[in-house]
Amino acid sequence: MSKVIFITGASKGFGKLWAEALLERGDKVATTARNIAALQDLKDKYGDNILPLKLDVNSRTEVFEVTEQVEKHFGRIDVLINNAGFGLFGTTEETTEQQAREQMETNFFGSLWVAQAVLPVMRKQKSGHIIQISSFLGLTTLPLLGLYNASKFAVEGLIETIGSETAHLRIKTTLIEPNGFATDWAGASAVQTSSDIADYNPVRAAFVESGDNPDTWGKPEATVEPVLNLIDNQNPPQRVLFGKIAYHVVNEVYTKRLNDIQNWKEVSIAAHGH
């Protein structure tokens, strides 16, 4: 049985790739983007099975209006893939107030508005699956991505909480946590802070060098089957890492965190006071 999938940020990258794979197998897909001209090729190929809609997720009003259009057009929303977002590269000190606010506005608040708009539809259905595109940088951090890291840490807490609030309504949540992939995320879609403070040059140089290894970047097309499996799974995971870099880094980070928790156990318990 075909499903109705609502994908934000579908003009390129993961969003468009997954939209086409879903359409190809017969699902109905509502796709949103700031520039829906980028979705015309899918419209030409898949006709009424795709509903391209213009959306800026920063506008809560627009998000609710578009979600209403999706429900009215297809009659339901089985799966939300909350994918809209961008990367902000630069040191924390050099990040401007506007850049910081714009990063949180899209990556965190945009995800919140879409989830809030879709939840009434899924509550009414007593079913649904919210798939949030996060990052392995919602579990650990890299330098020069401070505000991006923070936005994904915030999204992780948001979606985990929604999952605990809606499980009894048969609404499931999954956080997809990719490492870097060869999409436009780190290219034209990214925003750069200034790089005026020379003291940070060694950090910048090390960061650039780490990205020079092509093996660091995952292949976007390799994510298609895992996403389809997630959508079809009756018991999807709360979190799933995408990419071998994400797996190895997070495994190492969490092993160290658990060791620290155990090593400082007595201090933690003593701090409770009784």
Side-chain angles (χ1 to χ4, degrees):
M1 181 178 172
S2 68
K3 294 184 177 181
V4 175
I5 321 289
F6 180 16
I7 307 179
T8 65
S11 63
K12 54 192 169 186
F14 284 148
K16 188 167 186 180
L17 182 69
W18 298 341
E20 181 151 28
L22 290 160
L23 289 162
E24 184 67 35
R25 74 174 195 171
D27 289 318
K28 300 181 188 306
V29 182
T31 51
T32 72
R34 293 190 185 200
N35 174 24
I36 61 170
L39 296 165
Q40 188 59 48
D41 57 332
L42 295 184
K43 182 64 177 172
D44 292 342
K45 186 172 181 180
Y46 296 101
D48 291 340
N49 279 350
I50 181 172
L51 177 66
L53 294 166
K54 185 176 183 298
L55 175 63
D56 178 355
V57 296
N58 293 352
S59 169
R60 189 175 188 271
T61 301
E62 198 173 308
V63 166
F64 274 76
E65 290 172 349
V66 164
T67 302
E68 188 178 345
Q69 284 181 260
V70 174
E71 185 191 15
K72 186 176 180 180
H73 185 83
F74 286 126
R76 60 187 296 110
I77 298 173
D78 297 306
V79 180
L80 165 66
I81 300 181
N82 220 350
N83 177 59
F86 70 94
L88 173 63
F89 290 79
T91 68
T92 305
E93 184 179 350
E94 292 165 316
T95 303
T96 67
E97 178 181 353
Q98 182 178 351
Q99 288 171 331
R101 290 185 182 280
E102 287 175 352
Q103 179 76 123
M104 297 303 293
E105 192 69 45
T106 298
N107 289 12
F108 175 72
F109 285 105
S111 296
L112 171 59
W113 306 149
V114 178
Q116 285 185 330
V118 165
L119 279 169
V121 180
M122 293 184 172
R123 279 194 297 107
K124 185 169 59 178
Q125 297 168 177
K126 293 294 187 289
S127 68
H129 188 186
I130 294 174
I131 298 176
Q132 173 70 50
I133 309 310
S134 178
S135 169
F136 83 123
L137 299 179
L139 300 171
T140 185
T141 64
L142 283 176
L144 302 188
L145 283 160
L147 270 296
Y148 180 81
N149 298 335
S151 74
K152 294 303 184 181
F153 266 71
V155 159
E156 293 268 331
L158 173 70
I159 300 303
E160 182 177 312
T161 303
I162 290 173
S164 68
E165 293 168 343
T166 62
H168 68 292
L169 299 169
R170 295 194 300 168
I171 299 171
K172 300 161 186 171
T173 63
T174 298
L175 286 148
I176 293 179
E177 299 154 334
N179 51 228
F181 276 77
T183 66
D184 195 45
W185 175 81
S189 294
V191 174
Q192 301 280 343
T193 69
S194 68
S195 54
D196 297 333
I197 302 176
D199 283 344
Y200 292 118
N201 286 346
V203 180
R204 280 188 273 268
F207 185 83
V208 170
E209 185 179 350
S210 70
D212 283 343
N213 181 357
D215 195 46
T216 299
W217 303 92
K219 296 178 179 179
E221 58 273 16
T223 66
V224 170
E225 278 304 314
V227 165
L228 297 182
N229 289 340
L230 271 179
I231 289 170
D232 294 340
N233 198 300
Q234 293 300 307
N235 295 293
Q238 189 177 68
R239 287 177 165 82
V240 60
L241 296 163
F242 271 19
K244 64 182 181 182
I245 304 298
Y247 173 79
H248 290 302
V249 169
V250 173
N251 190 52
E252 183 178 323
V253 166
Y254 269 75
T255 299
K256 183 178 185 304
R257 285 182 187 173
L258 287 170
N259 287 337
D260 285 345
I261 288 168
Q262 291 305 315
N263 291 339
W264 287 82
K265 175 184 174 182
E266 291 182 12
V267 174
S268 300
I269 293 172
H272 190 73
H274 60 84

